[in-house]
Amino acid sequence: MEPLTALLDWSRAQFALTACYHWLFVPLTLGLAVIMGIMETIYVVKGGEVWKRTAQFWMKLFGINFAIGVATGLILEFEFGTNWSNYSWFVGDIFGAPLAIEGIFAFFMEATFIAVMFFGWNKVGRKFHLASTWLTGLGATISAWWILVANAWMQHPVGMRFNPETVRNEMVSFSDVALSGAAVTKFVHTVTSSWMVGAVFAVGVSCWFLLRKRNQQLALRSIRVAALVGISATILTIITGDVSGVEMAKHQPMKLAAAEGLEKGGTRAAFSIVPGVEVPGVLSILATHDIDGFVPGMQDIINGYTTPDGQKVMGAAEKMARGKKALADFTTFRSKMKTDSVGAQVARDSLMKNVDYFGYGYINDKAELIPPVGLVFWSFRVMVGLGMALMLVLILVWWFERKGTLAKKTWLHRIGVWSIPAVFIASQAGWIVAELGRQPWAIQDLLPVSAALSDLSVGSVMTTFFLFLVIFTVLLIAEISIMTKAVRTQEEIPD
């Protein structure tokens, strides 16, 4: 088992590396798309060279970030075929559909209008150019929609059935996949949090200008727009985060229990701010919208439990037994499929009775079903804590800009600049909760990561891991360098 464990660990590490780097660029793309769209809208409505030049400045930063984000995103999608070929075979008919739509429709939409946005200022009318700017942002958002549909399906698989003849899960309802509660909630929560990232980035860059006493008109106008976008986005993120918590409690109770470090659940479950500091009843409210709602803990989920209304939920041992029975029936079915039609049908019927637990057949120890609690627990608190702190920063810069005194608040300018790395840390922490909290599942309750692997040598995965690490780091350094140069060399905009 050691080579398999090593292959699994390195494959997961490589995918995590790619995903983390990619997610540095995606939220900024989505957020800056809104910022630059609003800036240009004000220019078209009100006129004024300052608004036009401000919009062009944020478009330049958007373009730098967009180009590098595309490069990392393509590699991430290819890894499903290279490192996770069993996954791709098992659910490719479902998972591949939204990714194909994203590539064919949304990506081409972005590619078409981004050219007009960058090169059409003096070639098309103002309104057409403005439409191109918004359509570029819309294309990026639609692209995010389909990718998040695919990710949400991994969190809560719906709209499919297992075909033992082909050993594949086949889609039976595209609408169930594309419009599930998990998909809609994940999309709205992710996009609104990305708007917050873009807004904090714009405020931070603007605060740098104020510290240097340069481009103050650009900075103050940018803060006027970005702070309001950020405050609104944070409120929407909180609301959608609440809905996500209810979805998580229904479909991924182990993730919720890990995020709370909840060993033993119950009614009026307490929310843990930090270990030893709890607020009674709040977790029940967040998970069920009822202070008396029952929230299972990790040990409840592992051992099985009975809800207050008498509903019995089976434990891991029974699910694993049913999963192993399903695997045995599947093996029997495949061996008799061409030689013994009656025996094959009997095995098939038995398999379909336990097919919902198929993935549990690959689990050898109940402890595997508990994700890395410490990392999930603290990532959740980093996400929430930084999110609240950043909202306060946005409110302060908006208030002082409105009062006309922001230019004098040097202390706040410094906080604004340091908010840029803080918002990226918060964004990364959110994805750590979403993805690590689902472990050991590649697809929740359907396929563990250990069964999703490709048959590769550990050495090849290690080699590409370090190769990607170097490439992605170079790309990140290049983006930061180019963006920093673009900010530093931005010409003063006359009043």
Side-chain angles (χ1 to χ4, degrees):
M1 290 298 293
E2 187 174 345
L4 176 60
T5 302
L7 176 61
L8 177 61
D9 289 344
W10 279 105
S11 295
R12 289 180 62 193
Q14 187 186 94
F15 195 85
L17 172 76
T18 310
C20 286
Y21 268 93
H22 181 56
W23 193 247
L24 290 171
F25 310 116
V26 173
L28 187 57
T29 294
L30 297 174
L32 286 182
V34 175
I35 300 296
M36 68 185 189
I38 294 174
M39 297 291 188
E40 188 176 352
T41 300
I42 296 173
Y43 161 66
V44 170
V45 173
K46 295 177 62 174
E49 186 67 16
V50 175
W51 284 112
K52 179 181 178 180
R53 298 277 293 278
T54 301
Q56 290 175 327
F57 170 72
W58 294 113
M59 281 179 189
K60 178 164 55 178
L61 299 187
F62 170 89
I64 296 166
N65 184 74
F66 178 84
I68 299 180
V70 169
T72 55
L74 290 172
I75 294 173
L76 188 65
E77 291 192 12
F78 285 143
E79 284 183 13
F80 283 104
T82 56
N83 291 39
W84 307 98
S85 58
N86 285 340
Y87 172 95
S88 299
W89 173 266
F90 194 60
V91 296
D93 291 352
I94 306 164
F95 188 79
L99 296 185
I101 295 171
E102 184 266 338
I104 294 170
F105 175 67
F107 187 73
F108 277 98
M109 180 178 175
E110 295 171 78
T112 299
F113 290 105
I114 198 171
V116 178
M117 185 183 80
F118 279 115
F119 305 113
W121 280 101
N122 300 316
K123 298 179 176 62
V124 299
R126 283 189 181 185
K127 291 182 179 180
F128 185 80
H129 190 276
L130 175 63
S132 298
T133 299
W134 279 111
L135 286 169
T136 298
L138 179 61
T141 305
I142 293 173
S143 180
W145 163 261
W146 290 114
I147 292 171
L148 291 168
V149 162
N151 182 271
W153 185 84
M154 295 168 69
Q155 313 285 344
H156 178 45
V158 293
M160 84 293 184
R161 66 169 171 237
F162 180 61
N163 185 339
E165 284 79 8
T166 61
V167 202
R168 296 170 73 91
N169 280 278
E170 299 171 349
M171 187 184 298
V172 295
S173 175
F174 180 75
S175 61
D176 285 352
V177 174
L179 300 173
S180 70
V184 173
T185 302
K186 178 169 280 293
F187 169 76
V188 179
H189 184 65
T190 303
V191 170
T192 54
S193 67
S194 297
W195 294 348
M196 181 184 177
V197 171
V200 171
F201 177 84
V203 166
V205 171
S206 300
C207 284
W208 185 87
F209 280 130
L210 294 177
L211 271 175
R212 296 296 187 273
K213 301 187 184 306
R214 293 178 45 212
N215 276 306
Q216 296 199 25
Q217 290 302 315
L218 181 154
L220 292 173
R221 281 169 169 76
S222 297
I223 287 172
R224 192 176 308 163
V225 171
L228 282 176
V229 170
I231 294 167
S232 302
T234 307
I235 293 170
L236 290 172
T237 301
I238 293 170
I239 294 170
T240 55
D242 174 66
V243 178
S244 294
V246 176
E247 284 281 332
M248 191 190 306
K250 289 179 181 177
H251 307 301
Q252 296 179 298
M254 182 62 82
K255 180 191 292 187
L256 179 64
E260 285 304 312
L262 186 66
E263 289 287 342
K264 193 71 177 174
T267 57
R268 292 181 175 259
F271 178 83
S272 174
I273 299 175
V274 293
V277 181
E278 298 181 341
V279 185
V282 172
L283 181 58
S284 287
I285 294 173
L286 294 175
T288 67
H289 288 175
D290 180 358
I291 194 170
D292 293 316
F294 179 82
V295 182
M298 288 178 281
Q299 294 307 314
D300 299 313
I301 297 167
I302 291 295
N303 298 321
Y305 60 94
T306 302
T307 63
D309 61 2
Q311 181 182 357
K312 292 185 177 181
V313 179
M314 72 174 67
E318 185 176 351
K319 291 179 180 178
M320 290 163 61
R322 293 194 178 197
K324 293 186 187 306
K325 177 69 167 64
L327 284 176
D329 288 333
F330 173 70
T331 301
T332 301
F333 168 76
R334 296 290 293 179
S335 66
K336 295 185 176 183
M337 188 168 59
K338 295 181 179 179
T339 60
D340 182 1
S341 59
V342 175
Q345 187 61 45
V346 171
R348 191 184 197 282
D349 292 342
S350 180
L351 163 63
M352 299 312 290
K353 289 178 182 178
N354 295 302
V355 72
D356 291 343
Y357 307 99
F358 192 89
Y360 282 90
Y362 294 97
I363 303 297
N364 296 312
D365 185 346
K366 291 186 291 186
E368 295 177 34
L369 297 171
I370 300 176
V373 177
L375 189 53
V376 176
F377 178 90
W378 284 110
S379 294
F380 181 76
R381 275 140 193 82
V382 167
M383 175 188 68
V384 174
L386 285 178
M388 294 296 99
L390 290 167
M391 185 178 185
L392 177 60
V393 173
L394 291 169
I395 291 171
L396 287 174
V397 295
W398 171 78
W399 175 257
F400 287 124
E401 194 282 329
R402 183 172 175 271
K403 300 293 286 185
T405 59
L406 180 60
K408 301 177 183 178
K409 306 295 182 181
T410 305
W411 60 273
L412 188 54
H413 303 163
R414 292 193 176 94
I415 293 174
V417 172
W418 282 105
S419 294
I420 296 176
V423 77
F424 282 102
I425 292 171
S427 183
Q428 291 283 335
W431 273 105
I432 289 173
V433 174
E435 299 306 300
L436 277 185
R438 191 180 70 244
Q439 296 303 311
W441 302 104
I443 308 166
Q444 184 69 45
D445 295 331
L446 185 64
L447 184 70
V449 290
S450 58
L453 278 171
S454 299
D455 184 13
L456 298 171
S457 69
V458 177
S460 65
V461 181
M462 289 176 61
T463 301
T464 51
F465 172 88
F466 288 109
L467 180 62
F468 289 164
L469 177 61
V470 171
I471 292 172
F472 294 155
T473 302
V474 169
L475 287 173
L476 180 60
I477 293 171
E479 172 171 23
I480 293 173
S481 300
I482 296 169
M483 277 194 167
T484 301
K485 183 177 180 180
V487 173
R488 289 181 182 278
T489 59
Q490 174 63 27
E491 294 180 0
E492 194 76 27
I493 300 175
D495 295 346

